[in-house]
Amino acid sequence: MSTAPACLSHSRGTITPALRAVVERLDQRSRHQAAYHFGWITAGGAPTSADAGKAVRPALALLSAEAVGAPPEVALPGAVAVELVHNFSLVHDDLMDGDEERRHRRTVWKLWGPSSAILTGDAMLALAQEVLLDTGLPTAAPAARMLARATRHLIRGQVQDLSFEHRAHVTVEECVDMAAGKTGALLSASAAIGAVLAGAPERVVDALALYGDQVGVAFQLVDDVLGIWGDPAVTGKPVHSDLRSRKKSLPVSYALNKDDPLGDELAAWLATRGDSDEEELRRVAGLIEGAGGRDWALAEAARRLALAEDALRGVELDAGARDELLALGRFVVEREV
């Protein structure tokens, strides 16, 4: 069995030529900005090899075909499609969050403006459906339907996330539901789309989708921990980045809903406006940790990962591909925190 990093490297190598070919279909301006976002060129257009991300979603798509006994090539259009949808969401996310850097490079909106970022993201989203439907396979329509539904839930999660910014109180259940949409929906589709394209039985597709959904929620829980306590060298963002924007992430939501003076103090800080210095942000991070937010998030991530693994063990899958999926899920969730 190969390691998860080797699996991700293989996935990136497999999909990049196909992804490049598909991006060539775009108009010149959108093509240039998408290629920059993917790390293929500099802002000026010179070839480069910047960090293009881990390619987790394409890896899941390819493995899901292998898990049901099909060659990974069957899933290649699905792998490209989920990567396009993921990056559509990142381009829009950067604009909505006002993030000026991603992977240590200027973001699309910061270089070319909000309107260009919206249009480039939209172009990638439309291209994802086109890629699937162009296969001509009888399973293309169900795969496209699955991806469209996942995108709708991803957007629902984004809408919830934005709405939380204007609310004083958000329940943990609401926050988890938001994460299931914003992060879990596309990982769920990614983990099943190869099996759909291969024509696998519904029961097997459902198990793979459940695995992806639970890994997605676990991923978001860990990501939220990293958003407060993560090392900038690992996250690519400043320490306490989520606190700077007063984001009601999962550890924050847990702390706010504890009947605890620390939660009350945290709520009072969230209600304030203006920038906080590093000392203040460290104090707030301590409030969240003291109220149990960090420990709960990591424990809940571990529980969700166990549910994901149970889903894979409950159906008949290729043993090697199942092991790869299990290793990939653990790699994604058990990051340095």
Side-chain angles (χ1 to χ4, degrees), residues 8 12 31 65 92 100 104 122 133 197 209 211 236 238 299:
L8 292 172
R12 175 59 69 197
R31 181 170 66 246
H92 283 194
E100 299 184 3
H104 309 290
D122 288 348
L133 296 171
L197 287 167
Y211 158 81

Side-chain angles (χ1 to χ4, degrees), residues 291-312:
R294 179 173 182 162
D295 288 345
W296 168 80
L298 294 176
E300 181 65 7
R303 187 181 77 85
R304 295 280 181 163
L305 180 59
L307 291 173
E309 295 181 347
D310 287 346
L312 290 186

Side-chain angles (χ1 to χ4, degrees), residues 52-238:
K54 293 185 176 65
V56 169
R57 291 154 190 83
L60 291 173
L62 297 173
L63 283 172
S64 71
E66 294 183 66
V68 299
E73 293 77 21
V74 170
L76 187 56
V80 170
V82 296
E83 185 71 344
L84 284 166
V85 171
H86 175 53
N87 283 278
F88 133 78
S89 73
L90 295 183
V91 170
H92 283 194
D93 234 6
D94 289 339
L95 173 57
M96 289 187 292
D97 293 345
D99 289 338
E100 299 184 3
E101 286 194 359
R102 176 173 290 279
R103 304 182 191 118
H104 309 290
R105 302 171 88 217
R106 304 279 293 282
T107 49
V108 171
W109 79 267
K110 188 63 181 175
L111 283 171
W112 291 287
S115 297
S116 285
I118 292 168
L119 291 170
T120 297
D122 288 348
M124 287 194 281
L125 179 59
L127 201 53
Q129 290 293 329
E130 187 180 337
V131 167
L132 284 173
L133 296 171
D134 276 355
T135 65
L137 294 170
T139 52
R145 189 177 303 114
M146 168 181 277
L147 188 58
R149 185 167 58 247
T151 305
R152 174 167 56 83
H153 284 296
L154 183 159
I155 293 169
R156 170 185 62 77
Q158 292 279 31
V159 169
Q160 287 176 293
D161 198 19
L162 283 174
S163 75
F164 292 170
E165 294 179 9
H166 307 289
R167 291 172 49 186
H169 183 259
V170 177
T171 68
V172 173
E173 292 74 20
E174 286 177 308
C175 214
V176 170
D177 183 58
M178 178 274 291
K182 182 179 176 181
T183 306
L186 186 57
L187 278 167
S188 178
S190 300
I193 199 165
V196 172
L197 287 167
E202 184 177 352
R203 179 170 174 269
V204 174
V205 169
D206 288 347
L208 287 163
L210 178 58
Y211 158 81
D213 179 63
Q214 295 298 334
V215 166
V217 176
F219 173 92
Q220 190 60 59
L221 283 154
V222 173
D223 204 55
D224 284 355
V225 169
L226 291 172
I228 299 173
W229 295 281
D231 180 349
V234 175
T235 65
K237 294 183 177 182

Side-chain angles (χ1 to χ4, degrees), residues 234-257:
V234 175
T235 65
K237 294 183 177 182
V239 68
H240 303 139
S241 59
D242 283 355
L243 294 183
R244 293 175 196 279
S245 58
R246 286 172 166 73
K247 183 178 179 182
K248 295 183 182 70
S249 61
L250 285 154
V252 172
S253 176
Y254 180 87
L256 285 172
N257 282 277

